[in-house]
Amino acid sequence: GLHGLPRLVRDMAKNLGKQIELVILGDEVEVDRDILERLESPLTHMLRNSVDHGIELPDVREASGKSATGKIIIEAKHRAGMLSVTIQDDGKG
């Protein structure tokens, strides 16, 4: 259900002049289609924020001692019978 997210991140990063690696962990976790549809909009919003506001431009990242390529990690797992989805980035925002 997360198949369109890599393209979203790749296209936004290109338009903003950023280098971003998207890592998806737990893509083997089974999730009901209705739940995926409900998560699509909030996940997209949070990813857009990470790309736009969280990850810095490559030269800014390098100046602060980071790799030029930023990283965004999405992790899905079942926890106590509930679906847990986390999104984190290694940017400043």
Side-chain angles (χ1 to χ4, degrees), residues 18-91:
K18 297 181 179 183
Q19 300 171 9
I20 301 175
E21 174 188 6
L22 176 64
V23 177
I24 299 176
L25 304 173
D27 58 350
E28 71 281 351
V29 172
E30 293 185 20
V31 180
D32 184 79
R33 182 174 299 279
D34 290 336
I35 293 173
L36 280 177
E37 288 176 5
R38 291 180 188 172
L39 288 174
E40 183 178 2
S41 180
L43 282 175
T44 300
H45 179 77
M46 288 185 277
L47 276 176
R48 287 180 184 273
N49 280 344
S50 282
V51 173
D52 196 21
H53 305 294
I55 304 292
E56 309 95 319
L57 291 167
D59 58 336
V60 173
R61 289 180 60 83
E62 287 179 327
S64 65
K66 296 180 182 178
S67 165
T69 302
K71 185 182 286 189
I72 300 173
I73 301 171
I74 300 175
E75 183 177 14
K77 58 185 164 186
H78 290 288
R79 186 179 289 171
M82 304 286 285
L83 175 65
S84 171
V85 179
T86 58
I87 300 175
Q88 62 183 11
D89 65 58
D90 68 349

Side-chain angles (χ1 to χ4, degrees), residues 4-13 43-45 47-48 51:
L5 299 179
R7 181 176 182 172
L8 170 78
V9 170
R10 183 179 62 245
D11 291 349
M12 281 191 69
L43 282 175
T44 300
H45 179 77
L47 276 176
R48 287 180 184 273
V51 173

